[in-house]
Amino acid sequence: ARDEELWRLACVKVWGLSIGTLDAQDAENSTVYYSWRDMFIRRERVNFSGCYISKTTYLRMGENSFQDQFYRPVQLVEYYRYIRFMPDGKVLMMTSADEPSQGVTKIRNVHNIRPDVLRGRYRLFGDTVTLVLQKSSQSRATTGHVRQRRGSVMPLDEDSNATQFLIELRIGHSPKRRCAQLVWSHYTLVQKRNKVDTSSEFDLTDAKYPSLWFSPVKSYHLDADAPLV
């Protein structure tokens, strides 16, 4: 379990081409790692053995009653946002009113083509994770993946009228688990219509975009609960 080659391969699985070297300091925080195992334990990363979940709650004001102008209904709206990362660089994101016990099952299948699930890829840069997500068009959702490689969750063919979601999240920690928090730092919607891109940036308030917290899910458990000792 202490073999350095095993830990180097584990680091490659998490950080890929941006893994760097042990003798070079991390440009983000000037951290020196003394072994591949030390890097795997201390360096910021995303957890694969579950998903990150946030809950958003707000009040929606209704219209005044026709019979009673002083009465105005108020509706309590609650929904959850789920983000699941895979070791091969793929990511799934879903917004749903389902409680976590039901919501996590909808992104359990990495080949899921549900229309409400955004799919894409992610990259790690220091303590920041960037996501590029895309929603499947109705034609792909009904006919399946076109010319899709085995194991891929993104279609190979690009849509000339596509919508992409560009997200940046900062990795944080909880008292009991490292890399258990994701804080919103940037969210942009890019719409392509007839080869012309139009972008709009979301206002990332804490009320609308609260932090996501990691929750283990046994049904897609992919790594150990703790570093080997």
Side-chain angles (χ1 to χ4, degrees):
R2 293 281 181 168
D3 186 274
E4 277 295 280
E5 181 62 17
L6 293 177
W7 290 104
R8 188 189 69 82
L9 294 175
C11 291
V12 171
K13 191 174 184 180
V14 174
W15 292 285
L17 298 176
S18 60
I19 184 174
T21 59
L22 292 178
D23 54 356
Q25 291 186 345
D26 192 323
E28 295 290 336
N29 51 23
S30 300
T31 300
V32 177
Y33 303 106
Y34 303 100
S35 65
W36 294 113
R37 179 178 181 274
D38 182 48
M39 175 187 289
F40 188 84
I41 293 175
R42 295 198 294 125
R43 186 175 177 181
E44 279 79 7
R45 57 191 175 95
V46 292
N47 295 301
F48 302 134
S49 58
C51 67
Y52 292 82
I53 305 173
S54 69
K55 180 181 179 180
T56 302
T57 303
Y58 67 93
L59 296 177
R60 177 185 294 170
M61 304 299 297
E63 297 182 357
N64 291 336
S65 174
F66 176 76
Q67 296 178 342
D68 187 357
Q69 294 296 323
F70 295 98
Y71 172 74
R72 189 175 184 181
V74 179
Q75 181 183 8
L76 178 64
V77 180
E78 293 183 347
Y79 64 90
Y80 297 85
R81 184 174 282 109
Y82 303 87
I83 298 181
R84 181 191 174 188
F85 298 94
M86 270 77 75
D88 57 358
K90 301 181 182 70
V91 61
L92 303 176
M93 188 175 81
M94 180 184 69
T95 301
S96 173
D98 294 331
E99 296 283 339
S101 57
Q102 292 83 30
V104 295
T105 61
K106 294 185 177 181
I107 54 175
R108 179 171 54 192
N109 184 3
V110 297
H111 307 294
N112 198 327
I113 56 173
R114 294 173 55 92
D116 56 340
V117 177
L118 301 178
R119 303 168 298 165
R121 305 194 71 85
Y122 71 92
R123 289 287 302 274
L124 288 167
F125 300 93
D127 63 349
T128 301
V129 54
T130 62
L131 291 71
V132 180
L133 297 157
Q134 184 171 329
K135 194 171 185 178
S136 296
S137 63
Q138 187 65 27
S139 60
R140 288 193 182 117
T142 55
T143 61
H145 295 151
V146 180
R147 289 172 45 206
Q148 182 177 357
R149 296 193 307 268
R150 181 179 181 182
S152 174
V153 297
M154 286 294 290
L156 294 177
D157 298 333
E158 293 186 358
D159 191 351
S160 59
N161 295 324
T163 300
Q164 284 190 334
F165 301 84
L166 310 181
I167 300 173
E168 285 188 6
L169 302 165
R170 181 174 51 84
I171 301 174
H173 312 287
S174 70
K176 295 184 179 181
R177 182 189 290 267
R178 282 182 53 82
C179 307
Q181 182 187 24
L182 294 178
V183 181
W184 294 85
S185 59
H186 189 78
Y187 192 1
T188 302
L189 172 66
V190 179
Q191 292 179 307
K192 178 183 291 186
R193 295 292 182 270
N194 299 321
K195 299 183 179 181
V196 177
D197 293 344
T198 303
S199 62
S200 56
E201 190 170 340
F202 290 90
D203 184 17
L204 300 179
T205 61
D206 293 336
K208 293 183 178 180
Y209 296 92
S211 299
L212 297 103
W213 293 92
F214 179 77
S215 178
V217 181
K218 292 182 179 180
S219 59
Y220 37 88
H221 193 83
L222 298 176
D223 65 348
D225 291 328
L228 299 176
V229 297

